[in-house]
Amino acid sequence: MGTMRSRAFVGAMLLAISLAACSSNRAALQFTPDRLPNGSAGQAYDAIISVTNNDTPVGDIYVSSGTLPPGMTLDFSRGSSTSADLSGTPATAGTYVFTVSAWCLGTNTEGQSGEQSYSLVVS
């Protein structure tokens, strides 16, 4: 009977340690650059948006709200990448406000997520 109690106690302790690790305070994801360079309608544009302070691999970087200029995309390749390529040829002048979000994978730990607002001026 003592062995069963010992196993139950060890199991409970491992669960408590696992839960504590999942809810530990980690640094927020950081996005760079803070500001995007301006672009010009009809001219090729290329900027890299990177995510740092991630504890696990980045699962995705995407536009979560707002609109990119027509003719532009944000491309992320899952794998060892921690950045996405904002590129294309903006077709229309204007100020485009959008939010880029990222999430990180989580298996034995809770995945991180974050976002950064950007404003891209196309003249």
Side-chain angles (χ1 to χ4, degrees):
M1 192 78 160
T3 303
M4 288 187 74
R5 284 185 189 170
S6 296
R7 287 182 186 164
F9 177 75
V10 170
M13 290 302 293
L14 290 174
L15 177 61
I17 291 168
S18 296
L19 290 174
C22 287
S23 61
S24 65
N25 293 330
R26 291 180 283 171
L29 294 179
Q30 295 291 315
F31 291 76
T32 53
D34 291 334
R35 295 178 53 214
L36 293 170
N38 294 342
S40 298
Q43 293 186 6
Y45 183 94
D46 192 30
I48 302 295
I49 297 176
S50 298
V51 173
T52 57
N53 282 347
N54 52 307
D55 292 334
T56 59
V58 175
D60 199 5
I61 300 173
Y62 59 98
V63 176
S64 58
S65 67
T67 305
L68 294 177
M72 295 191 62
T73 60
L74 182 67
D75 294 315
F76 172 76
S77 296
R78 185 184 272 188
S80 62
S81 180
T82 59
S83 59
D85 187 23
L86 176 62
S87 62
T89 302
T92 308
T95 300
Y96 298 88
V97 179
F98 54 93
T99 300
V100 172
S101 294
W103 59 267
C104 298
L105 301 171
T107 15
N108 294 329
T109 184
E110 183 179 323
Q112 295 164 277
S113 62
E115 65 185 25
Q116 173 74 34
S117 295
Y118 288 103
S119 179
L120 176 55
V121 177
V122 177
S123 56

